Amino acid sequence: MGPLSRDSFQRGSFNYYTLFNNGITYVCATEKNMDSLTAYRFLDEICKIFVESPLINKVAFAHPFELSADLNQVLGQNMADYSAKPSSGKLDAVQEQVNDVKNILSDNLNKVLERGERLNDLIDKTDDLQATAETFQKTSTRIARKMWWKNKKMLAIIVVIVIIIIIIIILLATNVIPT
């Protein structure tokens, strides 16, 4: 394909789109509600079909309307195809992007909610661990005091027994207690 030129204009209730390629002008008339992308895709398709067909060689020497019989069938089929297709123009692309963004936002919201639930579980576990740690601290302090007193009592008993034994030995050695 050579240099392309595109143009469009409006007359009455129709939009007209033109495609100029290598000296041949392709024209498409549409209702106002059809988007320009669909019209230009149609023109591109017709241009491609025409350039790839043997008719391209007859253009330079053709009389007016000489090629119309050959093109009517191709044009008719493509017109039916493009008229039957729903518009997949900018609005559909934007709608698809909006749907993608909605899906991403929904996924992100679900992840945030799951994270919030996990954080709440973690906070509950932290509170439970804190309470357990405080209980452990109190219990260990109480047991440490009990053991300290038990050790002190045992030491006192041993000291008393050792003193009694020393007194008995001294008394026996001095014959205060007859043997």
Side-chain angles (χ1 to χ4, degrees), residues 36-48:
S36 62
L37 290 176
T38 303
Y40 282 123
R41 271 189 265 140
F42 172 76
L43 288 175
D44 288 338
E45 182 72 20
I46 296 302
C47 178
K48 179 182 170 193

Side-chain angles (χ1 to χ4, degrees), residues 50-77:
F50 187 70
V51 168
E52 292 174 356
S53 75
L55 297 176
I56 192 70
N57 297 327
K58 297 180 183 179
V59 169
F61 307 106
H63 297 293
F65 303 108
E66 182 178 335
L67 303 176
S68 63
D70 296 325
L71 289 175
N72 279 343
Q73 186 176 2
V74 173
L75 287 174
Q77 179 60 44

